[in-house]
Amino acid sequence: LMPEAGSCFCAGDIPGLLFQITNGWAWDKLFSADFIRQCGLYFSGTRTANDGYFVYMALAQAGRIVKIEDHLVCHRFNNAASLANTRNKSWHCGFEMLYDIKKGLEERNLYQQLEKTFLDCALYYLIWSVENMNAVEIKKKIYQCIQEECRQIIPISGLPEERYYHTNEYEQYRYIETHSFDEYLTLLLQRNERTIQSLSKECTRLRKRIQQKIWPFPYSSIEKNSQVVLYGAGRVGQDYYQQIVKSGY
């Protein structure tokens, strides 16, 4: 999706995919201070998702966008206390971000041009929010918010499926619109049961292969009755040792 590194482009060049070329965070991007002041862009005051409006509105209005390959930042992750890992405390912030972006595009007469890329972005974000929230009570709130509030503001189902880049997510969204949360949970449980059964069969198959496996040994390079040292005493190491002893070599 992303134009080649070093090439200069703007929203008018890829209006249908503009918001799909990058994520809505600011830490891996550089912005002209004069451009930001000119456009009056700002981070919202929400606890999370506070940079989405800033980034997507900048993409929509920028006259020149360039991708560079240089690694200029280090991204630290897997911090349990980070905002990204505590979204359950501020689950509605993502909805507010989407509403603000839509409003901002409309105020600048850009919504019609960028409707497809915006709706695609919103669709992916909403399904991601539902699927990746582990707390069931928060997952339910997000699910119900899509059904009762969000669908009235962001007309995702107003476009046909073939207009979307994320067609799988579109099917999931349509399911949310027409099914209760209890039905959704039942579907998740059935899906997980099938996954567990599949993994169980695969584990059994691999276990049998391991039990039957003959580990390679460099017989041609080592004389019979030589002394060797095995490094490692895990399951494979023990198995390897038993195999060598039984061989009588």
Side-chain angles (χ1 to χ4, degrees):
L1 298 178
M2 173 71 81
E4 294 183 4
S7 63
C8 186
F9 63 97
C10 66
D13 297 318
I14 49 172
L17 293 172
L18 179 66
F19 293 168
Q20 281 67 57
I21 63 173
T22 185
N23 289 303
W25 50 54
W27 60 264
D28 61 351
K29 303 171 181 67
L30 292 171
F31 302 87
S32 163
D34 289 339
F35 167 71
I36 296 303
R37 296 189 189 99
Q38 177 185 343
C39 294
L41 297 179
Y42 54 87
F43 276 33
S44 59
T46 56
R47 179 179 180 271
T48 52
N50 49 30
D51 50 356
Y53 174 85
F54 177 93
V55 170
Y56 288 123
M57 292 306 300
L59 289 174
Q61 298 176 84
R64 292 182 300 168
I65 304 171
V66 178
K67 174 191 174 185
I68 61 175
E69 297 288 357
D70 306 60
H71 295 173
L72 304 177
V73 296
C74 291
H75 183 199
R76 188 165 64 94
F77 57 96
N78 285 340
N79 178 0
S82 69
L83 291 176
N85 288 321
T86 57
R87 291 181 182 275
N88 59 312
K89 297 180 180 180
S90 49
W91 61 271
H92 197 265
C93 293
F95 290 89
E96 295 176 42
M97 173 193 71
L98 294 175
Y99 302 159
D100 287 344
I101 294 172
K102 182 174 184 289
K103 181 179 179 181
L105 292 174
E106 291 172 338
E107 291 175 346
R108 292 163 177 78
N109 296 318
L110 295 171
Y111 184 78
Q112 185 174 359
Q113 177 191 17
L114 302 177
E115 179 186 46
K116 181 182 181 300
T117 189
F118 167 72
L119 292 180
D120 241 324
C121 176
L123 169 63
Y124 185 83
Y125 184 86
L126 292 172
I127 297 303
W128 175 86
S129 296
V130 174
E131 294 288 319
N132 287 274
M133 184 59 67
N134 293 324
V136 176
E137 66 275 11
I138 305 301
K139 187 188 288 285
K140 183 176 182 179
K141 289 181 179 180
I142 295 174
Y143 194 96
Q144 292 177 334
C145 188
I146 293 174
Q147 286 186 325
E148 301 167 6
E149 174 188 284
C150 185
R151 65 185 296 188
Q152 305 300 326
I153 302 173
I154 302 178
I156 289 175
S157 56
L159 292 182
E161 180 180 353
E162 58 269 19
R163 289 286 305 278
Y164 283 96
Y165 179 74
H166 299 290
T167 54
N168 289 337
E169 282 75 8
Y170 183 80
E171 292 179 6
Q172 290 176 273
Y173 182 85
R174 292 291 292 157
Y175 182 93
I176 292 174
E177 282 191 322
T178 55
H179 293 77
S180 68
F181 183 71
D182 287 344
E183 289 175 304
Y184 169 76
L185 281 185
T186 301
L187 184 65
L188 281 186
L189 290 173
Q190 292 172 344
R191 187 192 307 169
N192 289 337
E193 285 178 0
R194 288 194 296 270
T195 301
I196 292 171
Q197 290 174 359
S198 176
L199 289 175
S200 178
K201 291 179 181 178
E202 185 66 13
C203 286
T204 301
R205 185 183 67 82
L206 290 174
R207 192 177 297 112
K208 289 181 179 178
R209 284 189 58 187
I210 291 174
Q211 291 171 348
Q212 298 170 356
K213 186 173 182 64
I214 298 177
W215 303 100
F217 186 85
Y219 293 100
S220 61
S221 303
I222 300 177
E223 293 183 7
K224 189 173 181 179
N225 296 322
S226 296
Q227 289 187 324
V228 297
V229 175
L230 294 181
Y231 180 78
R235 289 184 59 186
V236 173
Q238 294 178 46
D239 187 23
Y240 199 29
Y241 170 76
Q242 294 296 331
Q243 176 183 304
I244 294 173
V245 171
K246 290 179 182 179
S247 72
Y249 189 80

